[in-house]
Amino acid sequence: MMFETNLPLIVPADRQVRDEIRKEVGLFLRQQKMFPPVSYNSLNELAGTLLKRYGWDRGYRAFVMVCCGNEVWRDIVDAIPYSRRMLLLPQCLKNSHFCKARQDELGLLCSECGNCSISGFLSEAESLGYLTIVSEGTTIATRLVESGRVDAVIGVGCMEVLKKMFHAVNKYSVPSIGVPLLTCGCVDTIADAEWIKEEIRHMNHHSGFRMLNLNRLKEKTDGFFREGLIKELLNLAGSPTDDLVLETMLAGGKRMRPLLTVLAYEAFSQQPDSFNLQHLALSVECFHKASLIHDDIEDNDTSRYGKETLHARYGVPVAMNIGDLLIGEGYRLISECRMSPHLIKECLRVVSQGHKALATGQGVELMARKGNTIPTLKEMLAIYANKTSAAFKVSLLLGALAGGAEKRMLTVLDCFSHLIGRAYQLKDDLEDFRPATEVSSFNTPSALIALLHEKADDTDRSLVRGSLLDRHTSNLMSLMEKYRIREQITTILREQIEEIDSCLLNLDNIGLKLALHEIVGKTFRDYI
C-alpha cells in the first residue's frame, strides 16, 4: 500500500498538544512492540491509525510520524552510551544579528556568546560525551554515520530536513531521534528547548541491548590476520609452500566473509571465546582464498589484488596445491574449536554443503563456457545462489551456530544469505557492464547478457552471440539499450532488496538485524 508523500509539515504550536501526542504515541507503541527499522510507508500508516484513534488534527500527520519514528528507536537509542551519540543542530538556530561564530568544513564553530540557544545545547551534550555538529543539511552527519564514529543521532531540524534525515539514516539503520523546530524559514528559528534537553539526557543504564558496531568488529577481524597469528594457527614453519600460504592469507581484500562470521558469533554468543572466534574467522578466509586461487586458474586470470596470480607466477600445479592445502586447513581449524562434538559436526556440515554448492554453481558456469552457450536469467540466478549466496551462508551460519543461535534464527540467516548473494551479483553485473567501461570478461556469464539473449528477436540474438565471440562491446551496449536490459535488471535487483528487508523482519536479534541492514544499505546505497 502506498501513501501520499507531500504531507503538510506542520508542528503543533501548543506545547501541551505536542506533549500529549508524544505521550500517547509512546504508550501506544510500547503496547505494539514494534522493532526498528520501520519504513516511511509504515510510519505513514501508523500515523493515520493514531490520528483516527485520538482525533488529532490531520495536518499533524507528519509530526506524528516523527514521534512514531522516535518511539520505535527509543529503547535502542537509550541503551547507547552518550560517547557513541551525535547531536546534530541546525545553523538556523543562531541569532543572525549577533552571532559571533566562525565556520569550518564541518559547520558552525560556536563562540558561546550567549546570543542564542545553541551554546546551551552544545554544553549540555558535550558534558555528557556527545559528538556535536552545528550544520545545515544531512551530508556531514551521513558521512560520520558511515564512518562508524557514532551509533546514534539526535537530530534537530525543520520538518523538511528531518524527512531527508530519515531517509539518510534509515538506509543504514542508524538509531535516531528527531526533534522538529517550532518555526522554519532557515533563519532565526525557534526550538523546543526542554524537548531537546530531554532527548539529550535520555539513557537506560539497565538495557540489555548491545550495539554491534561494524567498524569496531572489522578492526577486530583484521586483527586476526596478523602474520604471527596466521603462522601460529596454520602451523607455518617457513617452507616454500608455507611462505606461499602466508602470502596468500595476508593478501588484500575486504575480509567480508570472516567479518560476517565474527558479527554472527558476537550477536548470539553470551560469552564469546577468542580462541573459537580466531579459528572460525581464519577458516572462513582459508576457504575464500582457496576459491579465489581455483577461480583464477579456471578463468585464466593473471592478476589479483594488483599482483600476478599464483598460477601465473608458479604454474597451475603449485597454485592448485596451495588452494587444496587451504581447504584442508579450513576444516582442521573448525575441528579444533572448543565446542561440543555435535556443534563441530553441524559447523562442518554447513561448510561442506557450501563447498558443494560453490562447486556446483561453478560447474554450471564452466560447462556453459565450454559449450559456448548463454544461460537463461533463471539459470544465472541459480548460479549466483550456489556461488555467492553459499559464501554468505557459510560465513553467517558458521558464526551463528558457534554462538548458539536457535534453529529459527539460522533459517532467517539462510534466507538472508540466499537473497543478498543474488542481489550482490546482480549489482556487480550492472557495475561491470557500463557504457563508460568495457565488459569485464566476455567469458564469464552475466545476468545482463542472459536477459538480453532471452528478450532479443532471432536476428538480434545471433548478433548477441557473435558480439560475445568477437568481443564487440559497442554492439552489446546498443542492444542492451534497445531492449532496456539495465533498467530491467535494476528492477529485479530492487525487488531482491525489498525481499531482504522482508526477510530481516523475522530476525529477533536486534543488534544483528541492524548490522545486516547497515551492510545492505552500504552495499546497495545506489539502489535504495
Side-chain angles (χ1 to χ4, degrees), residues 224-239 241-250 255 278-287 289-290 322 325-334 336:
F224 296 154
F225 294 91
R226 303 187 309 272
E227 182 173 330
L229 187 58
I230 293 173
K231 284 182 176 179
E232 177 188 341
L233 293 183
L234 297 186
N235 303 312
L236 303 180
S239 71
T241 297
D242 287 347
D243 289 343
L244 290 179
V245 168
L246 181 62
E247 177 190 329
T248 300
M249 293 300 291
L250 290 174
R255 304 205 196 283
Q278 288 172 359
H279 279 64
L280 293 171
L282 208 63
S283 72
V284 168
E285 189 70 358
C286 281
F287 294 130
K289 286 293 174 28
I322 298 298
L325 186 154
L326 287 172
I327 291 171
E329 285 295 84
Y331 282 107
R332 179 186 63 80
L333 287 165
I334 295 171
E336 292 180 357

Side-chain angles (χ1 to χ4, degrees), residues 325-484:
L325 186 154
L326 287 172
I327 291 171
E329 285 295 84
Y331 282 107
R332 179 186 63 80
L333 287 165
I334 295 171
S335 73
E336 292 180 357
C337 284
R338 296 167 181 165
M339 299 185 292
S340 69
H342 172 73
L343 205 49
I344 289 175
K345 176 184 174 182
E346 285 301 297
C347 288
L348 292 173
R349 179 183 60 80
V350 165
V351 174
S352 299
Q353 288 177 341
H355 200 159
K356 180 182 178 181
L358 174 63
T360 299
Q362 183 72 348
V364 173
E365 186 176 304
L366 291 171
M367 292 305 291
R369 286 190 225 165
K370 183 175 178 62
N372 286 323
T373 59
I374 300 175
T376 64
L377 179 60
K378 182 178 180 180
E379 289 169 339
M380 283 307 308
L381 292 176
I383 290 172
Y384 295 162
N386 273 322
K387 291 181 63 177
T388 313
S389 297
F392 280 98
K393 179 178 176 180
V394 167
S395 303
L396 285 169
L397 263 59
L398 197 60
L401 273 167
E406 297 177 357
K407 186 176 181 180
R408 189 167 64 86
M409 293 298 95
L410 298 175
T411 302
V412 176
L413 292 178
D414 192 336
C415 163
F416 172 82
S417 301
H418 179 75
L419 294 169
I420 195 172
R422 294 200 307 190
Y424 191 90
Q425 206 60 58
L426 289 169
K427 170 182 163 291
D428 265 8
D429 285 351
L430 285 166
E431 292 175 355
D432 283 350
F433 211 136
R434 290 186 181 277
T437 63
E438 293 187 354
V439 182
S440 60
S441 173
F442 285 94
N443 296 323
T444 303
S446 152
L448 281 81
I449 296 296
L451 185 60
L452 175 59
H453 192 252
E454 284 182 25
K455 296 293 184 180
D457 58 31
D458 290 342
T459 301
D460 286 341
R461 195 173 291 130
S462 297
L463 185 55
V464 170
R465 290 195 292 266
S467 297
L468 285 171
L469 287 172
D470 297 335
R471 288 167 161 68
H472 280 166
T473 306
S474 58
N475 287 347
L476 293 171
M477 292 298 179
S478 297
L479 288 168
M480 286 199 187
E481 187 174 345
K482 175 180 178 180
Y483 290 98
R484 301 179 63 82

Side-chain angles (χ1 to χ4, degrees), residues 212-314:
L212 294 166
N213 184 282
L214 286 176
N215 288 66
R216 281 182 285 178
L217 289 180
K218 187 175 188 316
E219 289 176 6
K220 185 171 189 173
T221 303
D222 289 343
F224 296 154
F225 294 91
R226 303 187 309 272
E227 182 173 330
L229 187 58
I230 293 173
K231 284 182 176 179
E232 177 188 341
L233 293 183
L234 297 186
N235 303 312
L236 303 180
S239 71
T241 297
D242 287 347
D243 289 343
L244 290 179
V245 168
L246 181 62
E247 177 190 329
T248 300
M249 293 300 291
L250 290 174
K254 297 178 181 178
R255 304 205 196 283
M256 173 60 79
R257 289 158 183 79
L259 171 61
L260 291 174
T261 301
V262 171
L263 170 64
Y265 181 75
E266 297 236 338
F268 291 105
S269 179
Q270 298 300 313
Q271 294 180 315
D273 184 321
S274 60
F275 179 91
N276 287 342
L277 195 51
Q278 288 172 359
H279 279 64
L280 293 171
L282 208 63
S283 72
V284 168
E285 189 70 358
C286 281
F287 294 130
H288 176 54
K289 286 293 174 28
S291 72
L292 294 183
I293 291 170
H294 292 163
D295 272 354
D296 288 341
I297 293 170
E298 291 160 357
D299 297 343
N300 199 25
D301 286 334
T302 57
S303 67
R304 168 79 63 181
Y305 304 132
K307 295 177 63 176
E308 271 194 304
T309 52
L310 275 181
H311 76 273
R313 278 186 287 159
Y314 301 107

Side-chain angles (χ1 to χ4, degrees), residues 92-99 187-188:
C92 61
L93 275 176
K94 71 181 181 182
N95 185 316
S96 62
H97 300 291
F98 302 106
C99 181
V187 62
D188 297 325

Side-chain angles (χ1 to χ4, degrees), residues 28-294:
F28 180 82
L29 283 176
R30 275 194 285 278
Q31 295 171 348
Q32 300 300 309
K33 294 183 178 179
M34 293 184 70
F35 296 102
V38 177
S39 69
Y40 182 89
N41 281 348
S42 295
L43 289 179
N44 199 331
E45 181 179 22
L46 188 57
T49 299
L50 290 167
L51 287 170
K52 203 176 285 187
R53 179 183 181 122
Y54 295 106
W56 294 325
D57 189 322
R58 292 180 63 185
Y60 296 157
R61 187 176 192 128
F63 178 79
V64 175
M65 288 175 66
V66 170
C67 295
C68 288
N70 289 348
E71 293 309 316
V72 167
W73 283 111
R74 174 69 59 202
D75 290 343
I76 308 299
V77 174
D78 282 1
I80 294 173
Y82 295 133
S83 60
R84 295 294 304 171
R85 300 185 193 178
M86 172 171 64
L87 175 66
L88 177 63
L89 296 173
Q91 293 187 32
C92 61
L93 275 176
K94 71 181 181 182
N95 185 316
S96 62
H97 300 291
F98 302 106
C99 181
K100 299 176 182 178
R102 294 183 297 108
Q103 291 272 145
D104 71 0
E105 67 276 7
L106 291 179
L108 198 74
L109 297 172
C110 180
S111 63
E112 300 184 8
C113 64
N115 288 317
C116 71
S117 58
I118 290 178
S119 63
F121 297 141
L122 294 180
S123 177
E124 178 92 20
E126 289 170 0
S127 68
L128 294 171
Y130 275 75
L131 171 67
T132 60
I133 301 289
V134 183
S135 177
E136 300 301 340
T138 60
T139 303
I140 292 171
T142 302
R143 286 179 192 163
L144 288 167
V145 165
E146 288 180 3
S147 73
R149 287 184 60 189
V150 295
D151 291 330
V153 177
I154 311 294
V156 181
C158 66
M159 292 290 284
E160 182 65 38
V161 167
L162 291 184
K163 182 178 178 181
K164 292 177 182 176
M165 180 177 157
F166 169 83
H167 290 295
V169 299
N170 206 54
K171 179 184 287 191
Y172 306 116
S173 290
V174 178
S176 54
I177 298 290
V179 182
L181 294 169
L182 302 182
T183 60
C184 56
C186 300
V187 62
D188 297 325
T189 52
I190 301 172
D192 187 331
E194 291 305 313
W195 185 358
I196 294 173
K197 290 180 179 179
E198 179 187 331
E199 296 296 0
I200 290 173
R201 297 177 191 134
H202 246 295
M203 168 68 80
N204 181 357
H205 295 283
H206 305 291
S207 171
F209 173 76
R210 183 166 57 95
M211 193 78 179
L212 294 166
N213 184 282
L214 286 176
N215 288 66
R216 281 182 285 178
L217 289 180
K218 187 175 188 316
E219 289 176 6
K220 185 171 189 173
T221 303
D222 289 343
F224 296 154
F225 294 91
R226 303 187 309 272
E227 182 173 330
L229 187 58
I230 293 173
K231 284 182 176 179
E232 177 188 341
L233 293 183
L234 297 186
N235 303 312
L236 303 180
S239 71
T241 297
D242 287 347
D243 289 343
L244 290 179
V245 168
L246 181 62
E247 177 190 329
T248 300
M249 293 300 291
L250 290 174
K254 297 178 181 178
R255 304 205 196 283
M256 173 60 79
R257 289 158 183 79
L259 171 61
L260 291 174
T261 301
V262 171
L263 170 64
Y265 181 75
E266 297 236 338
F268 291 105
S269 179
Q270 298 300 313
Q271 294 180 315
D273 184 321
S274 60
F275 179 91
N276 287 342
L277 195 51
Q278 288 172 359
H279 279 64
L280 293 171
L282 208 63
S283 72
V284 168
E285 189 70 358
C286 281
F287 294 130
H288 176 54
K289 286 293 174 28
S291 72
L292 294 183
I293 291 170
H294 292 163

